[in-house]
Amino acid sequence: AVQLVESGGGLVQPKESLKISCAASGFTFSNAAMYWVRQAPGKGLEWVARIRTKPNNYATYYADSVKGRFTISRDDSKSMVYLQMDNLKTEDTAMYYCTAWLDYWGQGVMVTVSS
Amino acid sequence: DVVMTQTPVSLSVAIGQPASISCKSSQSLVGTSGKTYLNWLLQRPGQSPKRLIYLVSKLDSGIPDRFSGSGSETDFTLKISRVEADDLGVYYCLQGTHFPQTFGGGTKLELK
């Protein structure tokens, strides 16, 4: 079965950095476009970042709200995807979900940005 | 970006009764391949989203046939023929035709 397990969330102060990770299994990871989607408390779903596969040169894309601050990456040898978050803002507080093709979703990891 | 508008925002339904949710996109979701990349997700309370339907009307494995999806171009509908307690939560439509992929605002299905 497809499994996506996020880790690395926590409480950080504004302007600090945090890196969250996602371990994938149950499918051919190297063939999957991977995404990070977030959900602020009580709000809807917001696409954050996307990384394509090796044949697509691992192209990356970002929502305007995080462009220049967040970096998505992947390690196909480990079936892992990462989100490096720099210069965090209070409005980045959310549950962050790792998803494969936006079809399969992890359980999420909470990131809280507060002073 | 393509705007996905879901209605109603909330829906109160008795067990055993039908339910219907509408999703309208600001532009056609028919892709260059001729396929329409419109999915429906369900987020149960305290859980992560789960895909129910893809390509407008195809049910994911394990999804009961009480659920059905229909529509074309810019207008789409999710129907539940007989609501069960396990169906409660927030339903989202998601378009994957145009970059960036965008979600509807969600429809909360509650028990009457």
Side-chain angles (χ1 to χ4, degrees):
Chain A
V2 171
Q3 197 168 14
L4 297 163
V5 180
E6 301 93 337
S7 60
L11 172 64
V12 296
Q13 296 192 347
K15 301 186 180 181
E16 290 188 340
S17 298
L18 190 67
K19 186 174 185 177
I20 55 178
S21 305
C22 172
S25 61
F27 63 101
T28 305
F29 180 80
S30 59
N31 291 347
M34 298 299 297
Y35 297 74
W36 287 98
V37 174
R38 69 185 180 184
Q39 186 172 38
K43 302 297 184 182
L45 300 168
E46 178 191 17
W47 169 84
V48 172
R50 170 193 181 195
I51 186 166
R52 299 184 72 179
T53 58
K54 185 176 180 180
N56 294 294
N57 298 314
Y58 297 121
T60 58
Y61 308 86
Y62 300 93
D64 287 344
S65 57
V66 307
K67 200 172 294 182
R69 300 188 299 120
F70 288 13
T71 303
I72 188 172
S73 61
R74 64 190 295 161
D75 185 337
D76 289 350
S77 68
K78 296 181 180 178
S79 297
M80 296 286 294
V81 63
Y82 308 96
L83 187 67
Q84 175 68 45
M85 302 180 287
D86 297 321
N87 189 21
L88 281 160
K89 304 177 180 181
T90 55
E91 53 264 40
D92 295 319
T93 294
M95 184 72 79
Y96 285 74
Y97 295 103
C98 165
T99 110
W101 298 286
L102 289 174
D103 293 339
Y104 304 102
W105 296 65
Q107 85 287 353
V109 62
M110 188 67 200
V111 173
T112 303
V113 185
S114 175
S115 55
Chain B
D1 297 0
V2 176
V3 177
M4 304 296 288
T5 303
Q6 277 184 246
T7 54
V9 172
S10 64
L11 191 54
S12 183
V13 179
I15 297 295
Q17 294 301 302
S20 180
I21 300 170
S22 170
C23 177
K24 296 184 187 295
S25 58
S26 60
Q27 56 185 277
S28 173
L29 298 186
V30 180
T32 54
S33 63
K35 293 183 178 180
T36 301
Y37 295 92
L38 187 283
N39 296 353
W40 289 97
L41 312 174
L42 167 61
Q43 186 174 30
R44 295 185 175 95
Q47 297 186 19
S48 60
K50 177 182 178 180
R51 193 181 71 175
L52 303 176
I53 289 173
Y54 61 101
L55 292 174
V56 180
S57 60
K58 298 183 182 297
L59 265 61
D60 270 282
S61 175
I63 303 303
D65 60 7
R66 299 182 290 103
F67 289 88
S68 65
S70 63
S72 62
E73 299 285 346
T74 61
D75 287 356
F76 304 92
T77 302
L78 173 69
K79 291 184 178 179
I80 309 171
S81 59
R82 298 173 308 281
V83 169
E84 295 186 2
D86 194 44
D87 301 339
L88 304 183
V90 181
Y91 290 81
Y92 294 94
C93 57
L94 161 66
Q95 70 83 16
T97 300
H98 303 284
F99 182 79
Q101 293 87 346
T102 47
F103 297 90
T107 296
K108 187 173 185 179
L109 180 63
E110 300 173 307
L111 271 183
K112 181 180 288 184

